Amino acid sequence: MTFPPFTLKDLIDILLIATILYGVFRLLRHSGAVNLFWGILVFILTWFLVSYVFRLELTGALFDRVISAGAIALIVIFQSEIRTFFNRLGSRMGKMSQMFRPGSPDASQQVLQQVVIACSHMAKQRTGVLIVLANKQDLAGYIETGEHIDALVSTRLIENIFSKNTPLHDGALIIRNDRLVSAACVLPISSNRNLPKHYGLRHRAGLGICEKTDAVAVVVSEETGNISVAHEEKITEVAVDELLDVLLVALDYNKTN
């Protein structure tokens, strides 16, 4: 059995496939479907060997039919993961486009300082908090799930919203364009199985919105008073005196502005 010569084009082709497979693996790893990924990969490798290496026509024809129907089934099964992938791709393209035009992110440093002060106070009181800071994506679909506010960002207003005696303390507070736009918002829940067990729904919701958009979420634990920041695929506990710097970095904000 002879094979055609290996060229630079073949190397690029292999690297592209490897990159795509690695991206799919990372995406499915956090959704708990990594075993399904390995099963699909084994099936595809078997199909390649049968159809293109050993050239078994009858078995290859059967595998071809399964592959054709399976592609549609995979789109249905992994529609949530596919949507997340394209959201992240669009987010990265948005960040690249910002490099070629002036401007600052939605949350200015003064607004972030108000958020940090409010979180510091509520952390001492062990008040549960979930604040979402919009970045390049406007989060319109999530904003509509809550109560419309459209107010200036202030420490006292944030603390009042999350007070246990107010009807808006459950759910997320979303800040966009330097304004409090909506409270008691419903966010998607992360299915990441690697999260610590002491993280509750508030933490999972904070990570969930950041898995699907380029937003940054700040979470204050009601049980411990610890502050966490979620961004992209990670959620990390931070000290109060580090919170502002972490938010500035996550939002790609130029501190000199």
Side-chain angles (χ1 to χ4, degrees), residues 28-211:
L28 296 181
R29 180 183 59 186
H30 294 289
S31 65
V34 66
N35 290 334
L36 185 59
F37 167 81
W38 289 118
I40 294 172
L41 183 60
V42 169
F43 181 83
I44 292 175
L45 290 176
T46 304
W47 166 70
F48 178 79
L49 291 174
V50 167
S51 299
Y52 296 96
V53 178
F54 300 110
R55 299 184 182 277
L56 303 178
E57 295 185 4
L58 183 59
T59 308
L62 178 61
F63 272 76
D64 290 341
R65 299 296 183 274
V66 175
I67 288 291
S68 299
I72 300 175
L74 289 177
I75 292 175
V76 175
I77 294 172
F78 296 112
Q79 57 180 321
S80 176
E81 285 77 9
I82 292 173
R83 188 183 300 112
T84 300
F85 169 77
F86 283 110
N87 275 330
R88 291 179 185 171
L89 182 61
S91 172
R92 285 175 171 79
M93 294 300 294
K95 289 181 179 179
M96 291 178 61
S97 66
Q98 286 295 112
M99 298 172 59
F100 301 97
R101 64 176 186 267
S104 62
D106 288 337
S108 68
Q109 186 166 349
Q110 183 178 1
V111 167
L112 295 181
Q113 288 173 340
Q114 296 292 314
V115 172
V116 170
I117 295 172
C119 289
S120 173
H121 293 168
M122 291 183 288
K124 294 178 181 178
Q125 300 168 0
R126 295 194 177 183
T127 300
V129 175
L130 176 52
I131 300 174
V132 177
L133 301 165
N135 199 1
K136 304 301 182 294
Q137 295 176 260
D138 63 8
L139 310 181
Y142 302 105
I143 290 172
E144 293 173 358
T145 65
E147 295 292 333
H148 185 66
I149 298 178
D150 192 23
L152 292 174
V153 178
S154 70
T155 297
R156 290 185 177 181
L157 181 54
I158 294 175
E159 293 180 13
N160 185 67
I161 288 173
F162 285 105
S163 174
K164 295 180 181 180
N165 298 323
T166 62
L168 299 180
H169 76 278
D170 282 331
L173 173 65
I174 297 181
I175 298 176
R176 184 184 66 181
N177 297 328
D178 287 355
R179 296 185 70 83
L180 301 173
V181 292
S182 190
C185 299
V186 179
L187 304 182
I189 303 299
S190 173
S191 58
N192 188 337
R193 297 185 178 181
N194 297 323
L195 289 177
K197 293 183 179 180
H198 65 272
Y199 279 175
L201 287 178
R202 188 174 286 112
H203 292 83
R204 291 186 175 276
L207 182 59
I209 187 67
C210 297
E211 289 175 342

